[in-house]
Amino acid sequence: MKTAAVIGCGRAVPGKEGFAIGHAHGGGYKDAYPDIELIGVDINPDNLKAFGEAFGVPDERLFDSTEAMYAAQVPDAVSICTWPPLHMPLTVEAAEAGVKAICCEKPMATDIGLIDAMMQACERQGARLAIAHQRCYEAPFIKLKQLLQAGAIGEKLILQGSVGDGWDIQSWTVHWFDMARFVFDQPATAVFAGIDHTGSRRYGHAVEDASTIIAEFGQDKHAHFLTGPNAMPQSTGVSVVGEYGMAVLVADGVEIYNQEGFEKHAGDDQEFGGFAALFRDLWKSVQDPSYTSETDASHTSAATRMAFAAHESARTMRRIELPVHHLDFAPLEVAQRPVRRIPDCGKVVLLGDKHHIVEATGEGGREGLRDALHRLGFDEVHVVPVDEREPKADDLEGAELLVIYHTQRTSSPAVRELLTGWIGAGKPTVVTHCGIGAYDDWPQFRQWMGRHWVWGDDAGVQGVTPSGHPHVPCAIQITPGTGFDPGFVTAQLPRDEVYVDLYDSAPVKELATASYDDGKTASIAWQAEGVENVIVWAPGHLREVWSLEPMTAGLAACIRAVL
């Protein structure tokens, strides 16, 4: 390794948010490779100057943007030490620029879907990605693993890790998550948690104020993690309780208390410190593609995934099995607002197809919508799988509400007759998400909806741009003066499909819009003018999104508007 860039040099001042982790990476590179040429990247000129002075980096190797750096040179390695929301785009950018060794600070990303995107980008480009869980290279932790594997305190183990001083899971406890993975030699298989969350934020993302987490690592190994209370020291460390005794991690080794008494085991001398060892191990994996470093993202991403699973466990009050197959949002970012239930609900008919099914569970957005309708108080949700059969008159018998969530483009004469009898008679209908692409061969259905999806093969005939669906987080904004009232004025939704370039087939009343990507706007809810019994609620691609309060509240507002 000849060159390494630290992206996000940070401020060389004390304190949680001020501590310059970039300086720790810079020192690690110098310890690992004394002749290495360091590069600094930071948008703050004072931070750049401090980094240059600390490590003797000349001005020509200090850049105010990654674009400027990559235009000048592509380093052998980069460390991404920015706030977490930038981890994914900077990792992908580095891989696509040709960087071969990438070290990203923890937490790895701000949702699990972004973790997957980072790893996939690096795999495509042949880059090796490590996460900065460097403690596995430090002597006391290595000694602890050796003693546990030798059975010093038995086979049935409970690791206890705690962090105080007001810290949070993603900023600190993920280190202990990874340490449990390291010493147990396997990732967690399940987690359940309780948290105190008052809306705090750190490093640009939501954090909890205190937490307690139980994790399972197979049948005989468990862990308990406690984070946050200010009455605790900053880091009270790690201990492991077994059938025959206890192991306590100390600064220079491990203390064992077992049936034979007390014994102190010093850690073996290590040639390099944590960060230096990490960088050397990472570079070894670049030189030998058959070798996987200890902190490779294939191992260490489990710690950040576990953090989101813990937050989701606390949010849903249930045990979460790992690995989580699909959690493309950060649970703590979800606005916690009460949902007003719809009283005296009876039967609702849901015309749905298998839109975005997750293979691991066999369920998708349709099932998320079904569950949301149950939570709103409907006694019976009758799901008609329209990708398997057409709806029939018997399906609608006794129904109070019709919900459409499917992309079946063809409308048979029987379907037209059935829906004309329902919608044409003024009965309440909610078209959700992918339903805006339904029955594109039926002009009347388009008129009822007011606007709809333009399929790619229709665009040339209609002379318009095909509709799109970028996967982005967005901020919902309720249009004032329309009477549409979900119980909030604005709300944040995590990354999901946002519909753009829809086709207008009738004048519409805009009920809610969404802003995304620095000012772009998409439609979220609308109603064709003069059609009071049909309304559209456009979000809802992923099953998990339907569990969020803004989604359920918006759906409830749509139902109230047409009932």
Side-chain angles (χ1 to χ4, degrees), residues 284 292 422 454 478 556:
K284 179 180 177 181
T292 301
W422 178 275
V454 180
I478 305 303

Side-chain angles (χ1 to χ4, degrees), residues 246-267:
M246 180 172 65
V248 179
L249 193 77
V250 294
D252 56 350
V254 179
E255 295 177 348
I256 295 290
Y257 302 82
N258 60 19
Q259 295 170 320
E260 298 176 1
F262 165 78
E263 188 174 2
K264 173 73 174 290
H265 296 264

